[in-house]
């Protein structure tokens, strides 16, 4: 199975996921920073706190004290580190792009990625989530779910690093932000519903084509 075939099978089973779950590009950026090492429902609580305190804006977060931001985003975990990352990201946009994400996102995609990666607390997955889901530019997001599914099926067992796995997906797919968006969201859905840490292979519609699934079901019977 190649990535496009996998995408089609996931889409046929789950339909469109309409990602990212946020109301604005700025909210996507905040969510992408807060979701590191935590479940999405914790991010939702933190974002709700920011909204309630009328703090969900680049200007407000850039000017606020770290302690205040940390208190509001506490549900997302690692809140002191994440408060620093959020504040520095917002200060950067305020200072260099007059507070406009549109200006930041007008950079060519590789230059945008380089800038994001130069900021405190922003790694590959966070940068690529911002590029794909907030800026709408073609950058395939690799996360723990993508790695897990790639290892289990497998799609490409040799693609062991973030960069290699991303290059593998991007070379196998049409360069389309819409496709990358939907595919990543579908992978997340599948790994939450079936391909969990402890996978539910017996119920999985991919079990006939999955090496891990075949071995685990053979061992079971
Ligand atoms: S068969 Fe099992 S390991 Fe393979 S994709 Fe499905 S749930 Fe994951």
């Amino acid at each position: 199975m190649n990535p496009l075939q996998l995408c089609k099978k996931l889409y046929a089973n789950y339909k469109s996921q309409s990602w990212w779950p946020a109301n604005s590009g700025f909210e996507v950026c905040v969510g992408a920073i807060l979701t590191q090492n935590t479940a999405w429902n914790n991010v939702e609580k933190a974002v709700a706190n920011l909204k309630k305190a009328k703090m969900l804006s680049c200007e407000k977060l850039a000017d606020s004290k770290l302690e205040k931001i940390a208190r509001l985003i506490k549900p997302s975990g690692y809140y002191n580190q994440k408060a620093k990352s959020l504040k520095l990201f917002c200060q950067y946009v305020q200072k260099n792009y007059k507070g406009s994400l549109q200006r930041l996102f007008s950079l060519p995609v590789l230059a945008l990625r380089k800038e994001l990666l130069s900021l405190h607390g922003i790694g590959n997955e966070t940068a690529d989530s911002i590029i794909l889901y907030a800026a709408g530019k073609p950058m395939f997001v690799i996360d723990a779910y993508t790695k897990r599914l790639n290892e289990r099926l497998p799609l490409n067992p040799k693609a062991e690093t973030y960069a290699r796995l991303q290059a593998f997906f991007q070379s196998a797919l049409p360069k389309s932000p819409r496709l990358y968006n939907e595919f990543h969201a579908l992978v997340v859905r599948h790994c939450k519903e079936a391909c969990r840490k402890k996978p539910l292979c017996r119920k999985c519609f991919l079990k006939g084509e999955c090496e891990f699934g075949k071995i685990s079901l053979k061992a079971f019977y």
Side-chain angles (χ1 to χ4, degrees):
M1 189 172 3
N2 64 42
L4 196 54
Q5 288 167 334
L6 172 63
C7 184
K8 285 178 180 169
K9 284 175 197 284
L10 292 172
Y11 188 85
N13 194 68
Y14 297 116
K15 305 294 179 272
S16 176
Q17 301 302 296
S18 304
W19 262 34
W20 175 292
N23 293 321
S24 67
F26 182 68
E27 195 174 321
V28 173
C29 297
V30 172
I33 290 170
L34 295 184
T35 199
Q36 295 169 15
N37 302 308
T38 196
W40 183 253
N41 63 325
N42 296 327
V43 176
E44 287 178 328
K45 288 177 197 160
V47 170
N49 287 347
L50 289 169
K51 280 184 184 167
K52 202 171 166 195
K54 301 200 183 330
M55 288 277 292
L56 194 61
S57 84
C58 197
E59 198 180 350
K60 291 260 175 67
L61 287 172
D63 291 342
S64 293
K65 288 196 169 155
L66 277 176
E67 299 73 33
K68 184 175 182 185
I69 302 172
R71 186 164 37 82
L72 290 167
I73 65 166
K74 199 167 184 178
S76 71
Y78 302 97
Y79 47 89
N80 288 321
Q81 292 169 39
K82 289 178 182 178
K84 191 174 172 188
S85 303
L86 265 185
K87 185 175 167 77
L88 290 175
F89 171 76
C90 293
Q91 284 181 330
Y92 184 82
V93 177
Q94 287 296 114
K95 186 175 169 216
N96 296 287
Y97 296 95
K98 297 182 178 168
S100 164
L101 282 181
Q102 286 313 109
R103 285 181 197 226
L104 170 64
F105 293 161
S106 68
L107 291 174
V109 66
L110 292 181
L112 173 58
R113 190 170 197 270
K114 198 173 168 195
E115 284 213 13
L116 290 171
L117 287 174
S118 74
L119 301 177
H120 175 86
I122 297 193
N124 287 319
E125 186 185 333
T126 306
D128 292 340
S129 297
I130 291 172
I131 294 169
L132 180 62
Y133 289 105
K137 292 179 184 261
M139 192 58 71
F140 199 86
V141 178
I142 303 297
D143 61 3
Y145 295 129
T146 324
K147 287 179 198 156
R148 182 193 295 166
L149 199 52
N150 178 58
E151 279 166 17
R152 287 178 176 174
L153 286 168
L155 292 171
N156 182 349
K158 287 183 185 162
E160 286 165 348
T161 64
Y162 189 103
R164 282 191 189 166
L165 194 52
Q166 184 180 56
F168 167 68
F169 275 100
Q170 292 192 170
S171 64
L173 297 166
K175 203 172 182 177
S176 158
R178 204 163 150 224
L179 176 67
Y180 290 3
N181 175 326
E182 193 65 58
F183 195 178
H184 178 243
L186 286 163
V187 167
V188 173
R189 171 89 183 262
H190 183 63
C191 287
K192 282 185 175 174
E193 286 199 10
C195 204
R196 301 174 180 175
K197 271 187 192 164
K198 211 173 169 186
L200 306 175
C201 298
R202 270 193 296 166
K203 291 182 180 171
C204 178
F205 63 95
L206 295 173
K207 61 179 179 278
E209 305 159 86
C210 172
E211 290 306 317
F212 188 101
K214 283 181 203 165
I215 292 166
S216 67
L217 289 172
K218 218 176 192 175
F220 185 80
Y221 289 110

